[in-house]
């Protein structure tokens, strides 16, 4: 980390590293959740021709839930899961561990896009979260679940009105949220930046996402799913009535049906490239807090937190009392480039470290143990979309935009419903029957996204006022924030 920061300053006047930069010295360049000895030994790669009733592509949350739910619906179903690396290695294992009830990326987004069915979507989301909790207990998944809910926090006066609207809509949907003034908010979690907050105690379960992925992987294996890791899929071939041929580096699978759950990575279906962009999110993890440090913050109820700006931070406590601190600087690399080197961003890490101390000055001496980043699958409506291809033999779900820990189970159920060909409550939803507004092709795509990023940063600097560009995007149902 030191050398990268010094390299960024070459040609400039020599200056000492800042306290924020020093707090990052020695941090491991790896996702904290995945950097645990409990990581399972990979299953063998596919190295021959095989056939199956259902091939699931992707070993993240969506793929894992799809395989497990398929076996729960029909224990005799033949299911093969193909993962390019190891289960949960990408977005599913490196997120903040906020397992939210919302399927729509918040009440407001749902109300704006699907006002006639927002209450139904909210109910389905709460049922989905309850089913996740039940599955964790049923399968004995040791992912440290804590049903503490989530606190939305105002750190600038203009954000208070937005939180009041959020609380009003949540209550209208039956959520018994608690509205906190500045003093009450700081009594929950002590930061001089807090002006107020809204606590939804039932909106979210905090958990260890890697352990959840590994537990779902184990449950799939115990249910009889044939699992192949380190088996990246390179092509799909329509074989007519015989099904779809799934091609990997060393083997193939002829599947009657396919569930595509590959997230932000290069789409195997060209049409998905219209709707998805890979946006990088970056995260820091502190060393464990001492008892005195934790007492200086309070946080006795261990909620997940997110501030109410357009460029927002999300943060929470881990089981061993570290603080995960992420968000704010959502980065799109022009051309939609995805490469491992971009998983580390020293400039963003230093900025996040400064923001951490501004929020918690009493923790200025705390150092960070891990730094990481990676892509999330973003779409213009912020929430999952689904569909079919190859005359109904393939289903896909993608576009969670950071809220996939919980909504991925819903996306999996939608895919299985679509593959069944039967009408269900889920498939009858307007949300499921529609697609996001597509992004323009490159290089216009990069120009549009970078202009939007600059505009939302300006909105935060100017009391939330949205400029003409953002108001135009709002009119066309296109969203983008951190």
């Amino acid at each position: 980390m030191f050398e990268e920061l010094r390299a960024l300053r070459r040609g400039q006047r020599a200056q000492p590293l800042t306290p924020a930069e020093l707090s990052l010295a020695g941090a491991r360049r790896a996702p904290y959740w995945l950097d645990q000895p409990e990581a399972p030994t990979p299953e063998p790669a596919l190295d021959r021709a095989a056939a199956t009733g259902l091939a699931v592509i992707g070993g993240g949350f969506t793929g894992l839930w799809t395989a497990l739910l398929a076996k729960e619906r029909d224990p005799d179903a033949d299911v093969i899961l193909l993962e390019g690396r190891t289960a949960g290695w990408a977005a599913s294992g490196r997120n903040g561990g906020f397992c939210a009830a919302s399927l729509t990326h918040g009440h407001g987004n749902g109300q704006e896009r699907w006002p006639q069915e927002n209450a139904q979507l909210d109910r389905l989301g709460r049922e989905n979260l309850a089913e996740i909790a039940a599955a964790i207990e049923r399968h004995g998944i040791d992912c440290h679940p804590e049903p503490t809910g989530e606190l939305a926090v105002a750190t600038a006066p203009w954000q208070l009105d937005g939180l009041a609207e959020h609380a009003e809509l949540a209550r209208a949907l039956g959520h018994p949220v608690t509205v906190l003034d500045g003093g009450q908010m700081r009594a929950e979690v002590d930061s001089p930046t807090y002006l107020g907050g809204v606590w939804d105690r039932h909106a979210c379960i905090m958990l260890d996402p890697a352990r959840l992925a590994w537990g779902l992987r184990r449950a799939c294996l115990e249910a009889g799913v044939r699992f192949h890791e380190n088996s990246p899929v390179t092509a799909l071939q329509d074989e007519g009535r015989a099904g779809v041929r799934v091609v990997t580096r060393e083997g193939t699978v002829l599947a009657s049906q396919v569930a595509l759950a590959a997230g932000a990575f290069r789409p195997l279906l060209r049409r998905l490239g219209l709707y998805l962009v890979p946006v990088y999110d970056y995260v820091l993890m502190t060393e464990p807090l001492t008892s005195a440090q934790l007492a200086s913050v309070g946080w006795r109820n261990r909620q997940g937190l997110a501030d109410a700006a357009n460029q927002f931070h999300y943060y929470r406590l881990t089981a061993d009392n570290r603080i995960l601190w992420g968000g704010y600087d959502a980065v799109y690399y022009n051309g939609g480039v995805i490469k491992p080197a971009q998983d580390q961003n020293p400039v963003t890490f230093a900025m996040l470290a400064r923001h951490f101390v501004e929020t918690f000055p009493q923790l200025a001496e705390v150092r960070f143990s891990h730094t990481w980043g990676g892509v999330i699958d973003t779409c213009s409506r912020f929430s999952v979309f689904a569909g079919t291809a190859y005359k109904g033999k393939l289903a896909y779900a993608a576009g969670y935009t950071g809220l996939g820990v919980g909504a991925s189970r819903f996306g999996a159920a939608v895919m299985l419903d679509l593959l069944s060909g039967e009408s269900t409550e889920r498939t009858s939803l307007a949300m499921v029957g529609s697609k996001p507004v597509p992004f323009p092709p490159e290089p216009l795509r990069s120009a549009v996204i970078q202009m939007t990023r600059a505009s939302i940063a300006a909105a935060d600097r100017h009391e939330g006022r949205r400029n003409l560009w953002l108001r135009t995007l709002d009119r066309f149902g296109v969203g983008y924030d951190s």
Side-chain angles (χ1 to χ4, degrees), residues 247-281:
V247 182
T248 73
R249 286 187 305 203
E250 299 179 20
T252 64
V253 175
L254 181 60
S256 301
Q257 296 181 319
V258 174
L260 179 57
F265 295 97
R266 184 179 67 84
L268 292 163
L269 281 180
R270 183 176 299 178
R271 72 186 68 173
L272 291 181
L274 297 172
Y275 304 113
L276 295 173
V277 295
V279 173
Y280 275 77
D281 181 47

Side-chain angles (χ1 to χ4, degrees), residues 396-422:
Y396 57 83
Y400 299 99
T401 319
L403 247 68
V405 180
S408 55
R409 186 187 179 280
F410 175 81
V414 167
M415 282 198 291
L416 292 174
D417 288 353
L418 292 172
L419 289 172
S420 76
E422 298 178 5

Side-chain angles (χ1 to χ4, degrees), residues 19-20 22-24 189-192 194 284-299 315-317 321-325 352-368:
L22 287 169
S23 70
L24 296 162
V189 184
D190 190 10
S191 169
Y194 295 163
L284 306 178
M285 183 71 84
T286 72
E287 295 178 339
L289 302 188
T290 66
S291 297
Q293 288 169 334
L294 185 58
S296 74
V297 180
W299 217 338
Y315 41 114
R316 48 81 55 99
L317 291 168
N321 290 330
R322 301 169 187 261
I323 296 178
L324 177 144
W325 179 262
L352 286 173
R354 290 194 303 272
H355 292 176
F356 177 84
V357 175
E358 290 168 4
T359 302
F360 297 123
Q362 66 271 48
L363 301 180
E365 302 303 316
V366 170
R367 300 176 73 88
F368 295 97

Side-chain angles (χ1 to χ4, degrees), residues 434-463:
S434 62
K435 297 290 188 295
V437 175
F439 292 96
E442 294 288 5
L444 183 58
R445 175 177 296 196
S446 291
V448 166
I449 291 175
Q450 301 304 358
M451 185 184 301
T452 305
R453 293 185 67 234
S455 294
I456 64 172
D460 282 339
R461 293 193 301 270
H462 296 94
E463 299 181 338

